[in-house]
Amino acid sequence: MRDGVSRNFKLYLLDVFLLLLYLQYSSCSSADSLKGSLNMDRKEDALLPEISPTGSPQPFLPLLAPSPLAPYTNSTLPKLSGLCTLKFDAVESMMGVTSIDCVAPFAEYLANVMCCPQLETTLVILIGQSSKYTNMLALNGTLAKHCLSDFQQILVSQGANDTLQHICSLHPSNLTEGSCPVKDVREFETTVESSSLLAACRKIDLVNECCEQTCQNAISEAAKKLALKAYDLLSMQGAEVLSDHSTRVNDCRNIVHRWLGSKLDPNGAKNVLRGLSNCKNNKVCPLVFPNTSHVTKACGDGMNNRTACCNSIESYVSHLQRQSFVTNLQALDCAASLGVKLQKANVGKNIYNLCHISLKDFSVQVRVVSGCLLPSLPSDAVLDQITGISFVCDLNDNIPAPWPSLSHLPVSSCNKIVKIPALPAAASGQTSMNSLSIGSHLRLLALTVLGSLYYT
């Protein structure tokens, strides 16, 4: 009882503290200014329809936090089918990390850079580790349904979003062999050069693998050998061979990943598979670009109103900020993609430079001073019982968005036109308080406390 009273008293003090912070800031700035600084009260633009995974997301850091008594995890046990044969205890710690990476309020915003890569990696390693007992690197359709349901139930019971299958486009078929003809471990190891495969992928260089593709090439060779067991290529027509073979190779690549997940320890397998996942994700911009007509009208050739142009591009970018966090390399691709799109619509001037558009403007705004670019190397969110959920942001590299030119396309992680560090300049990812005004300092502190209450 005393513990309960003490906890409620502490929460009461926090509420009072928040109120005092708000009142102190309100004395030197209006409430409307506060809302603007928190990126909460953007005016809707009729020319820019809302685009997001859910269509109408709530603000990333809500001004009105949920009840301080709202628990981080559910108090009920997961409802399991009892029919799944996978060994969930083999990846228990990984599932805990996954539930935090895919935490309910933020899963959609972290989907492409953190949640879904970690979710898919955990599932691959789960099947791989379970193959030590079943000798199988895939499940049949019926078992896949039960296991996928149990997998999500466990994650949700630990605080993960309950719509992960939708967010990450995950289906029972992702647990089967698909069109790959090999799922038996013994057959796998007699078909491919397993020792060479393991040597190439046991420990990859996360910085250079995306360009050198040492492990990726070994996986592709193994997948091709598995796919060739399905049929005699000479008995099929050329176009049919190419189409069918390509699909089989992709499905067999999943089998190879699971085999690696069985031969490496879970942490080692996670580093490899998350690294390979980031190689793929960092190549493309994950954002969806709405119609640019109002930007091209204000900023096209013959532009005579710089203010109108900048207001237009800033309004457009504000809609992109509602979609997803992006990595620093993805931001480069997003800037290039939007720049090319505008150039094709007759915008010849470098409006990124003209209107001071930076790479961070393409990502979700998490702090009062800037957006948050995630590092290009794999990372995970962290749960702290005091401060709540946190993750590393590249806050100290305020890099202007590069306006694309014919001599610098395409932008890629192997041929960058702007130097982007794989890791943030500050290991902690924290913004230096010296660069903040007193008002910003108070707002930043208030957000930290709100985050603590949200997950306590």
Side-chain angles (χ1 to χ4, degrees), residues 56-213:
S56 183
Q58 294 300 308
F60 178 65
L61 290 173
L63 186 60
L64 298 177
S67 166
L69 298 179
Y72 167 69
T73 58
N74 293 343
S75 57
T76 58
L77 294 175
K79 298 178 181 179
L80 305 182
S81 67
L83 300 173
C84 180
T85 58
L86 296 179
K87 304 293 183 180
F88 289 103
D89 57 346
V91 293
E92 182 177 357
S93 62
M94 282 192 64
M95 293 190 70
V97 173
T98 304
S99 67
I100 297 172
D101 284 350
C102 299
V103 65
F106 305 149
E108 290 179 314
Y109 297 98
L110 294 170
N112 82 85
V113 290
M114 190 178 296
C115 172
C116 296
Q118 173 66 13
L119 178 74
E120 293 160 3
T121 295
T122 302
L123 197 53
V124 166
I125 296 175
L126 173 61
I127 298 176
Q129 290 290 313
S130 299
S131 71
K132 295 177 180 179
Y133 306 93
T134 65
N135 200 47
M136 290 294 174
L137 295 167
L139 307 180
N140 63 43
T142 301
L143 200 56
K145 291 180 181 179
H146 294 305
C147 289
L148 183 57
S149 175
D150 288 355
F151 181 69
Q152 177 159 303
Q153 285 289 326
I154 294 173
L155 293 177
V156 171
S157 74
Q158 297 175 347
N161 193 295
D162 60 3
T163 62
L164 290 180
Q165 291 188 44
H166 170 70
I167 292 174
C168 299
S169 300
L170 195 60
H171 308 283
S173 59
N174 295 118
L175 283 68
T176 69
E177 70 274 22
S179 61
C180 186
V182 178
K183 61 179 180 179
D184 180 273
V185 174
R186 297 186 187 90
E187 185 179 4
F188 179 99
E189 293 178 351
T190 59
T191 303
V192 306
E193 296 179 10
S194 55
S195 59
S196 299
L197 172 62
L198 194 57
C201 295
R202 183 181 294 277
K203 189 174 182 180
I204 65 172
D205 183 334
L206 292 177
V207 175
N208 297 318
E209 171 63 29
C210 296
C211 300
E212 297 177 354
Q213 301 186 10

Side-chain angles (χ1 to χ4, degrees), residues 21 24-25 28-29 34 37 368 436-445:
L21 285 176
Q24 182 172 352
Y25 182 73
C28 58
S29 179
L34 175 62
S37 67
V368 293
L436 298 175
S437 65
I438 294 177
S440 296
H441 188 168
L442 289 174
R443 282 172 278 150
L444 188 59
L445 186 56

Side-chain angles (χ1 to χ4, degrees), residues 286 289 321 367:
F289 296 108
Q321 293 167 357
R367 296 291 190 186

Side-chain angles (χ1 to χ4, degrees), residues 348-365:
K349 292 186 178 180
N350 181 350
I351 60 174
Y352 290 167
N353 181 63
L354 184 71
C355 303
H356 306 292
I357 301 297
S358 69
L359 290 180
K360 290 175 188 173
D361 290 326
F362 290 87
S363 190
V364 170
Q365 305 297 291

Side-chain angles (χ1 to χ4, degrees), residues 333-353:
D333 287 308
C334 291
S337 298
L338 177 59
V340 170
K341 187 179 182 71
L342 293 174
Q343 287 176 348
K344 289 181 177 178
N346 206 32
V347 176
K349 292 186 178 180
N350 181 350
I351 60 174
Y352 290 167
N353 181 63

